[in-house]
mmCIF file of all heavy atoms in Angstrom:
data_model
loop_
_atom_site.group_PDB
_atom_site.id
_atom_site.type_symbol
_atom_site.label_atom_id
_atom_site.label_comp_id
_atom_site.label_asym_id
_atom_site.label_seq_id
_atom_site.Cartn_x
_atom_site.Cartn_y
_atom_site.Cartn_z
ATOM 1 N N GLN A 1 -19.003 -18.233 -13.669
ATOM 2 C CA GLN A 1 -17.660 -17.746 -13.964
ATOM 3 C C GLN A 1 -16.865 -17.355 -12.720
ATOM 4 O O GLN A 1 -15.641 -17.416 -12.724
ATOM 5 C CB GLN A 1 -17.727 -16.541 -14.917
ATOM 6 C CG GLN A 1 -18.372 -16.840 -16.254
ATOM 7 C CD GLN A 1 -17.739 -18.035 -16.944
ATOM 8 O OE1 GLN A 1 -16.542 -18.063 -17.213
ATOM 9 N NE2 GLN A 1 -18.547 -19.059 -17.216
ATOM 10 N N MET A 2 -17.553 -16.970 -11.647
ATOM 11 C CA MET A 2 -16.832 -16.440 -10.491
ATOM 12 C C MET A 2 -15.981 -17.502 -9.802
ATOM 13 O O MET A 2 -15.016 -17.172 -9.096
ATOM 14 C CB MET A 2 -17.813 -15.838 -9.479
ATOM 15 C CG MET A 2 -18.728 -16.846 -8.811
ATOM 16 S SD MET A 2 -19.949 -16.039 -7.753
ATOM 17 C CE MET A 2 -20.823 -17.451 -7.097
ATOM 18 N N ASN A 3 -16.297 -18.772 -9.995
ATOM 19 C CA ASN A 3 -15.544 -19.814 -9.312
ATOM 20 C C ASN A 3 -14.631 -20.615 -10.247
ATOM 21 O O ASN A 3 -14.101 -21.655 -9.853
ATOM 22 C CB ASN A 3 -16.499 -20.759 -8.570
ATOM 23 C CG ASN A 3 -17.749 -21.065 -9.357
ATOM 24 O OD1 ASN A 3 -17.693 -21.207 -10.577
ATOM 25 N ND2 ASN A 3 -18.893 -21.162 -8.682
ATOM 26 N N HIS A 4 -14.429 -20.125 -11.478
ATOM 27 C CA HIS A 4 -13.510 -20.768 -12.418
ATOM 28 C C HIS A 4 -12.540 -19.785 -13.084
ATOM 29 O O HIS A 4 -11.340 -20.032 -13.145
ATOM 30 C CB HIS A 4 -14.291 -21.498 -13.522
ATOM 31 C CG HIS A 4 -14.876 -22.800 -13.084
ATOM 32 N ND1 HIS A 4 -14.117 -23.868 -12.674
ATOM 33 C CD2 HIS A 4 -16.164 -23.212 -12.984
ATOM 34 C CE1 HIS A 4 -14.895 -24.873 -12.349
ATOM 35 N NE2 HIS A 4 -16.148 -24.506 -12.530
ATOM 36 N N ILE A 5 -13.058 -18.687 -13.598
ATOM 37 C CA ILE A 5 -12.244 -17.760 -14.379
ATOM 38 C C ILE A 5 -11.060 -17.176 -13.592
ATOM 39 O O ILE A 5 -9.999 -16.935 -14.168
ATOM 40 C CB ILE A 5 -13.118 -16.627 -14.972
ATOM 41 C CG1 ILE A 5 -14.092 -17.225 -15.998
ATOM 42 C CG2 ILE A 5 -12.271 -15.551 -15.630
ATOM 43 C CD1 ILE A 5 -13.417 -17.948 -17.152
ATOM 44 N N PRO A 6 -11.178 -16.918 -12.269
ATOM 45 C CA PRO A 6 -10.015 -16.393 -11.548
ATOM 46 C C PRO A 6 -8.868 -17.398 -11.419
ATOM 47 O O PRO A 6 -7.764 -17.020 -11.023
ATOM 48 C CB PRO A 6 -10.585 -16.057 -10.152
ATOM 49 C CG PRO A 6 -12.058 -15.961 -10.334
ATOM 50 C CD PRO A 6 -12.379 -16.947 -11.409
ATOM 51 N N MET A 7 -9.108 -18.653 -11.762
ATOM 52 C CA MET A 7 -8.121 -19.701 -11.534
ATOM 53 C C MET A 7 -7.252 -19.950 -12.773
ATOM 54 O O MET A 7 -7.361 -19.259 -13.781
ATOM 55 C CB MET A 7 -8.832 -20.988 -11.099
ATOM 56 C CG MET A 7 -9.682 -20.810 -9.843
ATOM 57 S SD MET A 7 -8.744 -20.177 -8.433
ATOM 58 C CE MET A 7 -7.720 -21.606 -8.065
ATOM 59 N N HIS A 8 -6.415 -20.964 -12.691
ATOM 60 C CA HIS A 8 -5.444 -21.291 -13.738
ATOM 61 C C HIS A 8 -6.161 -21.736 -15.017
ATOM 62 O O HIS A 8 -6.969 -22.660 -14.997
ATOM 63 C CB HIS A 8 -4.518 -22.404 -13.249
ATOM 64 C CG HIS A 8 -3.438 -22.768 -14.213
ATOM 65 N ND1 HIS A 8 -2.361 -21.948 -14.469
ATOM 66 C CD2 HIS A 8 -3.272 -23.861 -14.992
ATOM 67 C CE1 HIS A 8 -1.578 -22.522 -15.348
ATOM 68 N NE2 HIS A 8 -2.103 -23.680 -15.695
ATOM 69 N N ILE A 9 -5.853 -21.080 -16.140
ATOM 70 C CA ILE A 9 -6.425 -21.430 -17.445
ATOM 71 C C ILE A 9 -5.280 -21.622 -18.429
ATOM 72 O O ILE A 9 -4.449 -20.733 -18.611
ATOM 73 C CB ILE A 9 -7.377 -20.331 -17.964
ATOM 74 C CG1 ILE A 9 -8.515 -20.087 -16.972
ATOM 75 C CG2 ILE A 9 -7.946 -20.718 -19.329
ATOM 76 C CD1 ILE A 9 -9.421 -18.937 -17.355
ATOM 77 N N ASP A 10 -5.216 -22.769 -19.061
ATOM 78 C CA ASP A 10 -4.109 -23.049 -19.972
ATOM 79 C C ASP A 10 -4.473 -24.251 -20.837
ATOM 80 O O ASP A 10 -5.548 -24.848 -20.691
ATOM 81 C CB ASP A 10 -2.837 -23.342 -19.172
ATOM 82 C CG ASP A 10 -1.561 -23.181 -19.990
ATOM 83 O OD1 ASP A 10 -1.666 -22.950 -21.220
ATOM 84 O OD2 ASP A 10 -0.468 -23.298 -19.411
ATOM 85 N N TYR A 11 -3.549 -24.627 -21.739
ATOM 86 C CA TYR A 11 -3.728 -25.868 -22.487
ATOM 87 C C TYR A 11 -3.652 -27.041 -21.509
ATOM 88 O O TYR A 11 -3.112 -26.922 -20.406
ATOM 89 C CB TYR A 11 -2.635 -26.006 -23.543
ATOM 90 C CG TYR A 11 -2.727 -25.016 -24.672
ATOM 91 C CD1 TYR A 11 -1.981 -23.840 -24.642
ATOM 92 C CD2 TYR A 11 -3.563 -25.248 -25.762
ATOM 93 C CE1 TYR A 11 -2.059 -22.921 -25.679
ATOM 94 C CE2 TYR A 11 -3.653 -24.337 -26.805
ATOM 95 C CZ TYR A 11 -2.896 -23.166 -26.755
ATOM 96 O OH TYR A 11 -2.989 -22.258 -27.773
ATOM 97 N N ASP A 12 -4.178 -28.174 -21.924
ATOM 98 C CA ASP A 12 -4.155 -29.358 -21.080
ATOM 99 C C ASP A 12 -2.717 -29.839 -20.904
ATOM 100 O O ASP A 12 -2.015 -30.129 -21.870
ATOM 101 C CB ASP A 12 -5.007 -30.462 -21.724
ATOM 102 C CG ASP A 12 -5.097 -31.706 -20.861
ATOM 103 O OD1 ASP A 12 -4.742 -31.627 -19.670
ATOM 104 O OD2 ASP A 12 -5.534 -32.749 -21.377
ATOM 105 N N LYS A 13 -2.258 -29.912 -19.667
ATOM 106 C CA LYS A 13 -0.900 -30.362 -19.361
ATOM 107 C C LYS A 13 -0.875 -31.822 -18.904
ATOM 108 O O LYS A 13 0.175 -32.310 -18.459
ATOM 109 C CB LYS A 13 -0.300 -29.478 -18.257
ATOM 110 C CG LYS A 13 -0.230 -28.003 -18.607
ATOM 111 C CD LYS A 13 0.650 -27.742 -19.816
ATOM 112 C CE LYS A 13 0.762 -26.245 -20.094
ATOM 113 N NZ LYS A 13 1.585 -25.958 -21.296
ATOM 114 N N ASN A 14 -2.023 -32.496 -19.003
ATOM 115 C CA ASN A 14 -2.128 -33.894 -18.574
ATOM 116 C C ASN A 14 -1.677 -34.096 -17.131
ATOM 117 O O ASN A 14 -1.008 -35.072 -16.800
ATOM 118 C CB ASN A 14 -1.325 -34.808 -19.514
ATOM 119 C CG ASN A 14 -1.971 -34.929 -20.879
ATOM 120 O OD1 ASN A 14 -3.177 -35.100 -20.988
ATOM 121 N ND2 ASN A 14 -1.169 -34.821 -21.929
ATOM 122 N N VAL A 15 -2.050 -33.143 -16.292
ATOM 123 C CA VAL A 15 -1.785 -33.274 -14.863
ATOM 124 C C VAL A 15 -2.790 -34.267 -14.288
ATOM 125 O O VAL A 15 -3.836 -34.534 -14.884
ATOM 126 C CB VAL A 15 -1.928 -31.887 -14.176
ATOM 127 C CG1 VAL A 15 -1.601 -31.963 -12.691
ATOM 128 C CG2 VAL A 15 -1.031 -30.872 -14.867
ATOM 129 N N ASP A 16 -2.476 -34.846 -13.137
ATOM 130 C CA ASP A 16 -3.397 -35.808 -12.532
ATOM 131 C C ASP A 16 -4.746 -35.149 -12.284
ATOM 132 O O ASP A 16 -4.847 -33.934 -12.124
ATOM 133 C CB ASP A 16 -2.818 -36.343 -11.222
ATOM 134 C CG ASP A 16 -2.678 -35.276 -10.157
ATOM 135 O OD1 ASP A 16 -1.663 -34.545 -10.180
ATOM 136 O OD2 ASP A 16 -3.570 -35.149 -9.315
ATOM 137 N N TRP A 17 -5.790 -35.986 -12.247
ATOM 138 C CA TRP A 17 -7.170 -35.495 -12.163
ATOM 139 C C TRP A 17 -7.386 -34.601 -10.954
ATOM 140 O O TRP A 17 -7.985 -33.532 -11.050
ATOM 141 C CB TRP A 17 -8.132 -36.689 -12.120
ATOM 142 C CG TRP A 17 -9.578 -36.292 -12.045
ATOM 143 C CD1 TRP A 17 -10.410 -36.017 -13.091
ATOM 144 C CD2 TRP A 17 -10.362 -36.114 -10.850
ATOM 145 N NE1 TRP A 17 -11.673 -35.679 -12.621
ATOM 146 C CE2 TRP A 17 -11.664 -35.722 -11.260
ATOM 147 C CE3 TRP A 17 -10.091 -36.239 -9.494
ATOM 148 C CZ2 TRP A 17 -12.682 -35.468 -10.355
ATOM 149 C CZ3 TRP A 17 -11.102 -35.980 -8.578
ATOM 150 C CH2 TRP A 17 -12.387 -35.598 -9.011
ATOM 151 N N PHE A 18 -6.907 -35.015 -9.784
ATOM 152 C CA PHE A 18 -7.134 -34.263 -8.549
ATOM 153 C C PHE A 18 -6.549 -32.860 -8.646
ATOM 154 O O PHE A 18 -7.220 -31.870 -8.316
ATOM 155 C CB PHE A 18 -6.507 -35.030 -7.378
ATOM 156 C CG PHE A 18 -6.774 -34.419 -6.030
ATOM 157 C CD1 PHE A 18 -7.985 -34.623 -5.383
ATOM 158 C CD2 PHE A 18 -5.804 -33.643 -5.406
ATOM 159 C CE1 PHE A 18 -8.234 -34.066 -4.135
ATOM 160 C CE2 PHE A 18 -6.048 -33.086 -4.159
ATOM 161 C CZ PHE A 18 -7.263 -33.297 -3.524
ATOM 162 N N SER A 19 -5.324 -32.756 -9.130
ATOM 163 C CA SER A 19 -4.677 -31.449 -9.256
ATOM 164 C C SER A 19 -5.374 -30.584 -10.292
ATOM 165 O O SER A 19 -5.512 -29.371 -10.113
ATOM 166 C CB SER A 19 -3.194 -31.624 -9.641
ATOM 167 O OG SER A 19 -2.507 -32.355 -8.658
ATOM 168 N N THR A 20 -5.830 -31.213 -11.377
ATOM 169 C CA THR A 20 -6.546 -30.467 -12.424
ATOM 170 C C THR A 20 -7.796 -29.802 -11.862
ATOM 171 O O THR A 20 -8.088 -28.648 -12.178
ATOM 172 C CB THR A 20 -6.938 -31.412 -13.578
ATOM 173 O OG1 THR A 20 -5.760 -31.974 -14.150
ATOM 174 C CG2 THR A 20 -7.701 -30.655 -14.662
ATOM 175 N N GLN A 21 -8.524 -30.526 -11.030
ATOM 176 C CA GLN A 21 -9.749 -29.976 -10.453
ATOM 177 C C GLN A 21 -9.440 -28.815 -9.501
ATOM 178 O O GLN A 21 -10.134 -27.788 -9.514
ATOM 179 C CB GLN A 21 -10.519 -31.071 -9.694
ATOM 180 C CG GLN A 21 -10.880 -32.292 -10.531
ATOM 181 C CD GLN A 21 -11.712 -31.961 -11.756
ATOM 182 O OE1 GLN A 21 -12.633 -31.152 -11.707
ATOM 183 N NE2 GLN A 21 -11.369 -32.582 -12.880
ATOM 184 N N LEU A 22 -8.412 -28.961 -8.686
ATOM 185 C CA LEU A 22 -8.084 -27.926 -7.704
ATOM 186 C C LEU A 22 -7.538 -26.668 -8.365
ATOM 187 O O LEU A 22 -7.806 -25.554 -7.908
ATOM 188 C CB LEU A 22 -7.074 -28.460 -6.691
ATOM 189 C CG LEU A 22 -7.601 -29.493 -5.686
ATOM 190 C CD1 LEU A 22 -6.496 -29.895 -4.719
ATOM 191 C CD2 LEU A 22 -8.789 -28.936 -4.904
ATOM 192 N N GLN A 23 -6.769 -26.817 -9.430
ATOM 193 C CA GLN A 23 -6.196 -25.657 -10.119
ATOM 194 C C GLN A 23 -7.261 -24.807 -10.787
ATOM 195 O O GLN A 23 -7.057 -23.614 -11.006
ATOM 196 C CB GLN A 23 -5.188 -26.121 -11.177
ATOM 197 C CG GLN A 23 -3.894 -26.659 -10.612
ATOM 198 C CD GLN A 23 -2.964 -27.174 -11.700
ATOM 199 O OE1 GLN A 23 -3.321 -27.179 -12.886
ATOM 200 N NE2 GLN A 23 -1.789 -27.625 -11.307
ATOM 201 N N ALA A 24 -8.408 -25.410 -11.102
ATOM 202 C CA ALA A 24 -9.415 -24.719 -11.909
ATOM 203 C C ALA A 24 -10.605 -24.220 -11.112
ATOM 204 O O ALA A 24 -11.503 -23.594 -11.675
ATOM 205 C CB ALA A 24 -9.911 -25.647 -13.027
ATOM 206 N N THR A 25 -10.647 -24.493 -9.803
ATOM 207 C CA THR A 25 -11.840 -24.155 -9.029
ATOM 208 C C THR A 25 -11.492 -23.341 -7.784
ATOM 209 O O THR A 25 -10.420 -23.496 -7.203
ATOM 210 C CB THR A 25 -12.583 -25.428 -8.578
ATOM 211 O OG1 THR A 25 -11.662 -26.279 -7.864
ATOM 212 C CG2 THR A 25 -13.145 -26.183 -9.758
ATOM 213 N N CYS A 26 -12.409 -22.491 -7.404
ATOM 214 C CA CYS A 26 -12.274 -21.766 -6.138
ATOM 215 C C CYS A 26 -13.660 -21.607 -5.524
ATOM 216 O O CYS A 26 -14.669 -21.640 -6.220
ATOM 217 C CB CYS A 26 -11.610 -20.401 -6.330
ATOM 218 S SG CYS A 26 -12.564 -19.227 -7.305
ATOM 219 N N ASN A 27 -13.698 -21.462 -4.217
ATOM 220 C CA ASN A 27 -14.963 -21.297 -3.513
ATOM 221 C C ASN A 27 -15.293 -19.825 -3.306
ATOM 222 O O ASN A 27 -14.421 -18.964 -3.377
ATOM 223 C CB ASN A 27 -14.920 -22.008 -2.156
ATOM 224 C CG ASN A 27 -15.083 -23.509 -2.294
ATOM 225 O OD1 ASN A 27 -15.259 -24.032 -3.392
ATOM 226 N ND2 ASN A 27 -15.013 -24.215 -1.176
ATOM 227 N N VAL A 28 -16.555 -19.567 -3.044
ATOM 228 C CA VAL A 28 -17.051 -18.229 -2.741
ATOM 229 C C VAL A 28 -17.646 -18.267 -1.343
ATOM 230 O O VAL A 28 -18.213 -19.288 -0.940
ATOM 231 C CB VAL A 28 -18.103 -17.779 -3.780
ATOM 232 C CG1 VAL A 28 -18.686 -16.423 -3.425
ATOM 233 C CG2 VAL A 28 -17.480 -17.737 -5.169
ATOM 234 N N HIS A 29 -17.527 -17.193 -0.613
ATOM 235 C CA HIS A 29 -17.951 -17.133 0.783
ATOM 236 C C HIS A 29 -19.318 -17.754 1.005
ATOM 237 O O HIS A 29 -20.251 -17.507 0.245
ATOM 238 C CB HIS A 29 -17.972 -15.672 1.245
ATOM 239 C CG HIS A 29 -18.406 -15.500 2.669
ATOM 240 N ND1 HIS A 29 -17.641 -15.906 3.737
ATOM 241 C CD2 HIS A 29 -19.541 -14.978 3.207
ATOM 242 C CE1 HIS A 29 -18.275 -15.638 4.865
ATOM 243 N NE2 HIS A 29 -19.434 -15.077 4.577
ATOM 244 N N GLN A 30 -19.429 -18.556 2.048
ATOM 245 C CA GLN A 30 -20.688 -19.233 2.358
ATOM 246 C C GLN A 30 -21.615 -18.325 3.153
ATOM 247 O O GLN A 30 -21.227 -17.684 4.127
ATOM 248 C CB GLN A 30 -20.397 -20.507 3.161
ATOM 249 C CG GLN A 30 -21.581 -21.444 3.312
ATOM 250 C CD GLN A 30 -22.488 -21.090 4.479
ATOM 251 O OE1 GLN A 30 -22.026 -20.546 5.485
ATOM 252 N NE2 GLN A 30 -23.773 -21.381 4.335
ATOM 253 N N SER A 31 -22.858 -18.250 2.732
ATOM 254 C CA SER A 31 -23.916 -17.559 3.460
ATOM 255 C C SER A 31 -25.237 -18.122 2.956
ATOM 256 O O SER A 31 -25.280 -18.777 1.914
ATOM 257 C CB SER A 31 -23.858 -16.044 3.232
ATOM 258 O OG SER A 31 -24.222 -15.722 1.892
ATOM 259 N N LEU A 32 -26.309 -17.854 3.667
ATOM 260 C CA LEU A 32 -27.615 -18.345 3.220
ATOM 261 C C LEU A 32 -27.958 -17.793 1.845
ATOM 262 O O LEU A 32 -28.478 -18.509 0.986
ATOM 263 C CB LEU A 32 -28.692 -17.960 4.235
ATOM 264 C CG LEU A 32 -28.690 -18.745 5.556
ATOM 265 C CD1 LEU A 32 -29.744 -18.192 6.506
ATOM 266 C CD2 LEU A 32 -28.938 -20.231 5.297
ATOM 267 N N PHE A 33 -27.653 -16.508 1.626
ATOM 268 C CA PHE A 33 -27.949 -15.910 0.329
ATOM 269 C C PHE A 33 -27.076 -16.516 -0.767
ATOM 270 O O PHE A 33 -27.572 -16.866 -1.843
ATOM 271 C CB PHE A 33 -27.741 -14.396 0.361
ATOM 272 C CG PHE A 33 -27.920 -13.748 -0.988
ATOM 273 C CD1 PHE A 33 -29.194 -13.497 -1.491
ATOM 274 C CD2 PHE A 33 -26.822 -13.428 -1.777
ATOM 275 C CE1 PHE A 33 -29.368 -12.923 -2.738
ATOM 276 C CE2 PHE A 33 -26.986 -12.846 -3.034
ATOM 277 C CZ PHE A 33 -28.256 -12.595 -3.508
ATOM 278 N N ASN A 34 -25.769 -16.623 -0.519
ATOM 279 C CA ASN A 34 -24.867 -17.162 -1.542
ATOM 280 C C ASN A 34 -25.198 -18.609 -1.872
ATOM 281 O O ASN A 34 -25.092 -19.022 -3.031
ATOM 282 C CB ASN A 34 -23.414 -17.048 -1.084
ATOM 283 C CG ASN A 34 -22.887 -15.638 -1.189
ATOM 284 O OD1 ASN A 34 -23.572 -14.744 -1.683
ATOM 285 N ND2 ASN A 34 -21.674 -15.415 -0.711
ATOM 286 N N ASP A 35 -25.570 -19.394 -0.859
ATOM 287 C CA ASP A 35 -25.972 -20.781 -1.113
ATOM 288 C C ASP A 35 -27.173 -20.825 -2.049
ATOM 289 O O ASP A 35 -27.212 -21.612 -3.000
ATOM 290 C CB ASP A 35 -26.332 -21.489 0.199
ATOM 291 C CG ASP A 35 -25.123 -21.711 1.089
ATOM 292 O OD1 ASP A 35 -23.992 -21.471 0.639
ATOM 293 O OD2 ASP A 35 -25.323 -22.125 2.249
ATOM 294 N N TRP A 36 -28.164 -19.978 -1.763
ATOM 295 C CA TRP A 36 -29.384 -19.942 -2.588
ATOM 296 C C TRP A 36 -29.103 -19.364 -3.970
ATOM 297 O O TRP A 36 -29.527 -19.920 -4.988
ATOM 298 C CB TRP A 36 -30.450 -19.095 -1.886
ATOM 299 C CG TRP A 36 -31.648 -18.824 -2.738
ATOM 300 C CD1 TRP A 36 -32.707 -19.642 -2.949
ATOM 301 C CD2 TRP A 36 -31.894 -17.644 -3.519
ATOM 302 N NE1 TRP A 36 -33.610 -19.053 -3.809
ATOM 303 C CE2 TRP A 36 -33.134 -17.823 -4.174
ATOM 304 C CE3 TRP A 36 -31.190 -16.461 -3.720
ATOM 305 C CZ2 TRP A 36 -33.675 -16.858 -5.027
ATOM 306 C CZ3 TRP A 36 -31.732 -15.506 -4.567
ATOM 307 C CH2 TRP A 36 -32.963 -15.711 -5.209
ATOM 308 N N PHE A 37 -28.383 -18.244 -4.011
ATOM 309 C CA PHE A 37 -28.139 -17.543 -5.268
ATOM 310 C C PHE A 37 -27.336 -18.396 -6.251
ATOM 311 O O PHE A 37 -27.579 -18.360 -7.461
ATOM 312 C CB PHE A 37 -27.384 -16.239 -4.989
ATOM 313 C CG PHE A 37 -27.192 -15.370 -6.194
ATOM 314 C CD1 PHE A 37 -28.207 -14.526 -6.638
ATOM 315 C CD2 PHE A 37 -25.995 -15.377 -6.899
ATOM 316 C CE1 PHE A 37 -28.034 -13.715 -7.754
ATOM 317 C CE2 PHE A 37 -25.819 -14.572 -8.020
ATOM 318 C CZ PHE A 37 -26.841 -13.738 -8.439
ATOM 319 N N SER A 38 -26.397 -19.185 -5.752
ATOM 320 C CA SER A 38 -25.504 -19.962 -6.611
ATOM 321 C C SER A 38 -25.895 -21.431 -6.717
ATOM 322 O O SER A 38 -25.204 -22.198 -7.388
ATOM 323 C CB SER A 38 -24.067 -19.873 -6.084
ATOM 324 O OG SER A 38 -23.950 -20.526 -4.834
ATOM 325 N N GLY A 39 -26.997 -21.827 -6.081
ATOM 326 C CA GLY A 39 -27.344 -23.242 -6.093
ATOM 327 C C GLY A 39 -26.287 -24.094 -5.423
ATOM 328 O O GLY A 39 -26.046 -25.239 -5.817
ATOM 329 N N HIS A 40 -25.622 -23.525 -4.410
ATOM 330 C CA HIS A 40 -24.528 -24.158 -3.667
ATOM 331 C C HIS A 40 -23.272 -24.348 -4.524
ATOM 332 O O HIS A 40 -22.354 -25.065 -4.107
ATOM 333 C CB HIS A 40 -24.946 -25.508 -3.062
ATOM 334 C CG HIS A 40 -25.895 -25.375 -1.920
ATOM 335 N ND1 HIS A 40 -27.265 -25.260 -2.099
ATOM 336 C CD2 HIS A 40 -25.691 -25.317 -0.576
ATOM 337 C CE1 HIS A 40 -27.857 -25.163 -0.918
ATOM 338 N NE2 HIS A 40 -26.928 -25.177 0.027
ATOM 339 N N LEU A 41 -23.205 -23.691 -5.687
ATOM 340 C CA LEU A 41 -21.987 -23.770 -6.485
ATOM 341 C C LEU A 41 -20.914 -22.816 -5.976
ATOM 342 O O LEU A 41 -19.852 -22.695 -6.591
ATOM 343 C CB LEU A 41 -22.301 -23.495 -7.961
ATOM 344 C CG LEU A 41 -23.162 -24.577 -8.614
ATOM 345 C CD1 LEU A 41 -23.422 -24.249 -10.070
ATOM 346 C CD2 LEU A 41 -22.505 -25.944 -8.491
ATOM 347 N N ASN A 42 -21.189 -22.136 -4.876
ATOM 348 C CA ASN A 42 -20.129 -21.417 -4.183
ATOM 349 C C ASN A 42 -19.163 -22.410 -3.536
ATOM 350 O O ASN A 42 -18.033 -22.055 -3.213
ATOM 351 C CB ASN A 42 -20.705 -20.452 -3.130
ATOM 352 C CG ASN A 42 -21.734 -21.098 -2.225
ATOM 353 O OD1 ASN A 42 -22.400 -22.051 -2.602
ATOM 354 N ND2 ASN A 42 -21.869 -20.589 -1.018
ATOM 355 N N PHE A 43 -19.599 -23.672 -3.376
ATOM 356 C CA PHE A 43 -18.704 -24.750 -2.951
ATOM 357 C C PHE A 43 -18.173 -25.473 -4.199
ATOM 358 O O PHE A 43 -18.349 -26.682 -4.359
ATOM 359 C CB PHE A 43 -19.464 -25.749 -2.066
ATOM 360 C CG PHE A 43 -19.881 -25.200 -0.735
ATOM 361 C CD1 PHE A 43 -21.153 -24.686 -0.552
ATOM 362 C CD2 PHE A 43 -19.011 -25.205 0.340
ATOM 363 C CE1 PHE A 43 -21.558 -24.196 0.682
ATOM 364 C CE2 PHE A 43 -19.398 -24.715 1.578
ATOM 365 C CZ PHE A 43 -20.667 -24.204 1.752
ATOM 366 N N GLN A 44 -17.511 -24.746 -5.067
ATOM 367 C CA GLN A 44 -17.115 -25.303 -6.356
ATOM 368 C C GLN A 44 -16.023 -26.359 -6.232
ATOM 369 O O GLN A 44 -15.995 -27.331 -7.001
ATOM 370 C CB GLN A 44 -16.641 -24.191 -7.285
ATOM 371 C CG GLN A 44 -16.515 -24.596 -8.741
ATOM 372 C CD GLN A 44 -17.852 -24.916 -9.395
ATOM 373 O OE1 GLN A 44 -17.907 -25.670 -10.361
ATOM 374 N NE2 GLN A 44 -18.929 -24.338 -8.884
ATOM 375 N N ILE A 45 -15.115 -26.183 -5.280
ATOM 376 C CA ILE A 45 -14.046 -27.178 -5.085
ATOM 377 C C ILE A 45 -14.656 -28.518 -4.710
ATOM 378 O O ILE A 45 -14.345 -29.559 -5.310
ATOM 379 C CB ILE A 45 -13.064 -26.710 -3.996
ATOM 380 C CG1 ILE A 45 -12.352 -25.430 -4.433
ATOM 381 C CG2 ILE A 45 -12.036 -27.809 -3.694
ATOM 382 C CD1 ILE A 45 -11.494 -24.794 -3.361
ATOM 383 N N GLU A 46 -15.535 -28.506 -3.714
ATOM 384 C CA GLU A 46 -16.178 -29.745 -3.278
ATOM 385 C C GLU A 46 -17.000 -30.359 -4.403
ATOM 386 O O GLU A 46 -17.013 -31.584 -4.576
ATOM 387 C CB GLU A 46 -17.080 -29.463 -2.063
ATOM 388 C CG GLU A 46 -16.332 -29.178 -0.777
ATOM 389 C CD GLU A 46 -15.751 -27.770 -0.713
ATOM 390 O OE1 GLU A 46 -16.069 -26.939 -1.601
ATOM 391 O OE2 GLU A 46 -14.978 -27.497 0.223
ATOM 392 N N HIS A 47 -17.678 -29.506 -5.177
ATOM 393 C CA HIS A 47 -18.501 -30.027 -6.268
ATOM 394 C C HIS A 47 -17.660 -30.743 -7.317
ATOM 395 O O HIS A 47 -18.051 -31.796 -7.831
ATOM 396 C CB HIS A 47 -19.296 -28.904 -6.925
ATOM 397 C CG HIS A 47 -20.017 -29.325 -8.158
ATOM 398 N ND1 HIS A 47 -20.972 -30.319 -8.157
ATOM 399 C CD2 HIS A 47 -19.904 -28.907 -9.455
ATOM 400 C CE1 HIS A 47 -21.415 -30.499 -9.395
ATOM 401 N NE2 HIS A 47 -20.784 -29.664 -10.196
ATOM 402 N N HIS A 48 -16.508 -30.185 -7.652
ATOM 403 C CA HIS A 48 -15.673 -30.810 -8.681
ATOM 404 C C HIS A 48 -14.970 -32.069 -8.173
ATOM 405 O O HIS A 48 -14.692 -32.976 -8.964
ATOM 406 C CB HIS A 48 -14.650 -29.802 -9.215
ATOM 407 C CG HIS A 48 -15.126 -29.088 -10.432
ATOM 408 N ND1 HIS A 48 -14.710 -29.402 -11.708
ATOM 409 C CD2 HIS A 48 -16.008 -28.072 -10.570
ATOM 410 C CE1 HIS A 48 -15.311 -28.615 -12.584
ATOM 411 N NE2 HIS A 48 -16.101 -27.789 -11.923
#
């Protein structure tokens, strides 16, 4: 939830795929612990 819920949430506006992914995702600070704790999903933008 930490890398999606803070972002834009709304009905589908049929925006282009790239913009849809960026509006809904955010990253969390990178560290050895955060990488391990989140399974590297702290890089949520890159993952999406």
Side-chain angles (χ1 to χ4, degrees):
Q1 300 307 302
M2 67 185 181
N3 40 37
H4 283 297
I5 294 301
M7 302 304 290
H8 183 72
I9 302 175
D10 199 354
Y11 291 96
D12 183 14
K13 301 298 183 182
N14 289 316
V15 182
D16 65 277
W17 181 87
F18 185 80
S19 299
T20 299
Q21 303 302 318
L22 289 182
Q23 288 177 357
T25 55
C26 65
N27 283 358
V28 177
H29 180 69
Q30 192 275 330
S31 69
L32 287 176
F33 175 79
N34 284 355
D35 291 351
W36 171 82
F37 186 82
S38 67
H40 289 85
L41 293 181
N42 49 333
F43 292 96
Q44 194 67 205
I45 296 173
E46 288 77 9
H47 172 60
H48 266 258

